[in-house]
Amino acid sequence: GQYDTEEISSYTIEKDSKYGIANQKGHIILPIEYDAIVPTTAQKKYYTGNYSILWKSGKCSLVDVSTGQVLFPFIYDDIIVNDTSDELFSIDSTFLVMKNGKYGFATFEKGQILDTIYDAISFKWWANEVAKAYYIIMQKDGKMGFYEYRFKYEYGECVFSSEPIYEKCVFLKNENAEADYYGMFFVAVKLNKKWGILDMKPGYSSIPNLEDLEFKYDSLKELKQDVNAEFKRRHNKKHR
């Protein structure tokens, strides 16, 4: 098949049931030695169509079809593209990577940032004009943990990581509370049968708000009913 976008012009070539990629001049940029090349919806710098899953001997990686560059090591049993666009913003795609029935997490910028040791991974993202953040809930051996990776412009770092210690972690989005928190994701966490709010404080240098984490709710429903009042209490504490 042909890849033809504003960024690339290349096409798949096949010989003896093996596949590679050639550029528009006919030069081979990816050797003809792969079992399959499968297009994805992955995007980077607002362009889609540049990235495909590359299969060889039952393992897979990601390839930039405009250059033939293989981006990840050939160690994964599957790669799943996360949706990272909405009606307002679009950020570079992220990936769930799978090995031996376990999941990890990878990005264009850093490659694999979470080991393939988790039974399940849930992913959310947030962005504005200058910053973006990845929110990840990891599940392992019946427990859940949380990881946040945040960028300002092109620089990114892990700002919070919790081992799977919670009985439950649930993503919720703040739609109504104080302006400092509006639109941000937070995580309802359950420990010893009680629920608490682990919020993602705004501002690039901040980290999830462990100092305000109290396990004071008997149910997730009760937590949701009190969330606006709780954020108001936290806002007033911060600004007093």
Side-chain angles (χ1 to χ4, degrees):
Q2 182 154 348
Y3 309 99
D4 196 1
T5 73
E6 295 181 41
E7 288 287 289
I8 60 173
S9 184
S10 59
Y11 54 92
T12 302
I13 51 179
E14 183 265 338
K15 182 179 180 181
D16 299 329
S17 299
K18 297 293 182 181
Y19 297 88
I21 297 174
N23 65 17
Q24 58 185 340
K25 295 181 179 180
H27 298 152
I28 296 175
I29 58 174
L30 185 74
I32 312 170
E33 59 185 41
Y34 298 95
D35 300 321
I37 302 174
V38 183
T40 75
T41 58
Q43 62 180 10
K44 187 177 184 182
K45 305 299 183 186
Y46 305 105
Y47 290 102
T48 59
N50 293 37
Y51 301 96
S52 292
I53 304 295
L54 198 58
W55 288 92
K56 185 177 182 180
S57 302
K59 300 295 182 181
C60 65
S61 180
L62 191 73
V63 62
D64 181 341
V65 299
S66 66
T67 64
Q69 180 184 6
V70 179
L71 302 175
F72 297 160
F74 260 97
I75 58 174
Y76 301 118
D77 301 323
D78 201 3
I79 297 173
I80 301 166
V81 180
N82 293 312
D83 182 16
T84 52
S85 62
D86 62 18
E87 64 275 9
L88 293 178
F89 293 100
S90 180
I91 66 174
D92 292 351
S93 292
T94 64
F95 307 90
L96 297 185
V97 290
M98 187 176 182
K99 185 167 66 171
N100 299 325
K102 302 292 184 179
Y103 292 92
F105 190 87
T107 72
F108 280 119
E109 296 88 356
K110 296 290 185 179
Q112 187 174 326
I113 61 175
L114 287 180
D115 291 338
T116 48
I117 60 173
Y118 299 103
D119 302 319
I121 289 177
S122 300
F123 168 75
K124 297 287 186 184
W125 63 277
W126 170 89
N128 63 17
E129 290 79 4
V130 298
K132 62 182 177 182
Y134 304 147
Y135 305 130
I136 303 165
I137 291 174
M138 310 92 72
Q139 183 173 338
K140 182 182 179 184
D141 300 329
K143 299 290 186 179
M144 293 185 175
F146 174 74
Y147 183 98
E148 180 180 356
Y149 198 89
R150 191 173 292 191
F151 293 82
K152 188 172 184 180
Y153 299 107
E154 294 300 317
Y155 176 73
E157 64 178 346
C158 172
V159 296
F160 183 81
S161 181
S162 163
E163 291 297 318
I165 60 172
Y166 300 111
E167 296 155 17
K168 288 284 186 181
C169 292
V170 179
F171 280 124
L172 298 171
K173 191 170 185 180
N174 181 4
E175 302 289 2
N176 301 303
E178 298 296 321
D180 277 3
Y181 299 92
Y182 177 76
M184 301 290 286
F185 283 102
F186 65 96
V187 177
V189 290
K190 185 180 181 182
L191 187 65
N192 298 323
K193 300 182 179 181
K194 303 284 280 188
W195 288 87
I197 296 173
L198 180 61
D199 71 87
M200 272 51 77
K201 295 190 294 185
Y204 179 64
S205 62
S206 63
I207 63 171
N209 199 357
L210 280 174
E211 63 266 29
D212 287 332
L213 176 59
E214 296 180 74
F215 293 93
K216 59 183 181 180
Y217 303 104
D218 292 323
S219 68
L220 183 59
K221 180 179 178 180
E222 181 185 355
L223 181 153
K224 290 179 178 179
Q225 290 171 341
D226 188 55
V227 68
N228 288 336
E230 175 62 18
F231 279 137
K232 188 173 182 65
R233 289 190 289 269
R234 295 185 183 190
H235 175 86
N236 291 340
K237 177 182 175 182
K238 177 182 176 183
H239 293 284
R240 67 187 177 190

